[in-house]
Amino acid sequence: QVQLVESGGGVVQPGRSLRLSCAASGFTFSSFDMHWVRQAPGKGLEWVTLISYDGSKKYYASSVKGRFTVSRDNSKNTLFLQMNSLRAEDTAVYYCAKEKREVRPPPLDYWGQGTLVTVSS
Amino acid sequence: SSELTQAPAVSVALGQTVRITCQGDSLRNYNVNWYQQKPGQAPVLVIYGKNNRPSGIPDRFSGSTSGNTASLTITGAQAEDEADYYCDSRDSSANLVVFGGGTKLTVL
């Protein structure tokens, strides 16, 4: 069965960096586009970034562009999110999600359980 | 505009039918997907494309679109359907994902 397990969250000071990981299993990771979506405490879902199946295409929300970098290691079935220059407003649960192919717009058909990032001094 | 607008909250009596809507200009060109999120849990896809249900989603969930408004309909709402519901679609470039603000469904 498909499993997505995020890790790397924690408490970090404003301006510092953090790297999240998402370990994937149960499907051919290298064949699917992947996303990061976040949710601030008590707020709605906010899309963060998309990376194509081969890592050649990356797209970002305007709120994180220039500060966050998405990458993947298909040999290790792992998705990453490097977060730099963190701000208080980046505090959220970060979910990785798998995109379903062959549908437009592609839905996110599997989600991890999320990892909490708290940006605070 | 790529924004998607949802009503913050909707309520329905147990066993009755409820419609949750999602409005946006982009919906004239793209379908939406719908997600259910219960407290403390990750979102779950309930409807995708024109009106498709993933395996395991009850057939009381259905989707439709008219003009710039998409709807998620729950026919015969159950207590376990109480949750937050989010729509998503793509912006005009088709590369950026946009979520609606979410609708909290209360089953009375």
Side-chain angles (χ1 to χ4, degrees):
Chain A
Q1 72 282 21
V2 172
Q3 277 200 311
L4 298 169
V5 180
E6 302 94 338
S7 61
V11 180
V12 61
Q13 292 180 330
R16 303 298 291 265
S17 300
L18 204 61
R19 188 194 200 202
L20 305 183
S21 300
C22 171
S25 61
F27 66 104
T28 305
F29 180 71
S30 59
S31 296
F32 291 88
D33 294 359
M34 297 292 295
H35 297 246
W36 287 97
V37 177
R38 69 184 181 182
Q39 186 170 36
K43 302 296 185 182
L45 301 175
E46 179 187 13
W47 176 77
V48 175
T49 182
L50 153 66
I51 183 169
S52 62
Y53 65 98
D54 60 358
S56 64
K57 298 177 182 177
K58 303 175 184 180
Y59 304 97
Y60 299 92
S62 57
S63 58
V64 306
K65 197 169 187 178
R67 300 187 299 122
F68 290 13
T69 302
V70 63
S71 61
R72 63 192 298 161
D73 184 340
N74 285 345
S75 68
K76 296 182 178 178
N77 292 345
T78 304
L79 175 71
F80 301 101
L81 183 65
Q82 177 67 42
M83 304 185 294
N84 298 332
S85 303
L86 282 162
R87 307 166 179 166
E89 54 264 37
D90 296 318
T91 294
V93 173
Y94 285 74
Y95 297 100
C96 67
K98 168 188 167 292
E99 186 176 284
K100 181 178 178 65
R101 292 181 304 189
E102 301 160 4
V103 181
R104 288 289 175 264
L108 306 181
D109 59 350
Y110 289 95
W111 298 61
Q113 85 290 350
T115 187
L116 176 62
V117 173
T118 302
V119 183
S120 173
S121 54
Chain B
S1 169
S2 58
E3 292 183 354
L4 298 178
T5 301
Q6 297 183 243
V10 170
S11 62
V12 62
L14 184 67
Q16 296 303 300
T17 296
V18 63
R19 178 174 295 180
I20 298 169
T21 61
C22 174
Q23 281 189 302
D25 290 341
S26 63
L27 302 189
R28 299 185 187 279
N29 301 311
Y30 298 108
N31 290 315
V32 298
N33 305 305
W34 290 95
Y35 305 87
Q36 176 194 70
Q37 186 181 34
K38 297 181 179 179
Q41 298 184 19
V44 172
L45 179 67
V46 293
I47 291 288
Y48 65 94
K50 285 193 178 297
N51 182 19
N52 301 290
R53 280 176 291 105
S55 173
I57 301 302
D59 61 5
R60 63 178 179 270
F61 289 88
S62 63
S64 63
T65 302
S66 178
N68 73 335
T69 302
S71 299
L72 172 69
T73 300
I74 307 175
T75 303
Q78 302 300 303
E80 60 264 32
D81 299 334
E82 188 163 286
D84 293 327
Y85 290 86
Y86 296 91
C87 59
D88 89 352
S89 191
R90 296 293 170 108
D91 75 334
S92 56
S93 74
N95 295 316
L96 305 188
V97 178
V98 180
F99 281 101
T103 297
K104 181 177 182 60
L105 174 67
T106 300
V107 179
L108 303 172

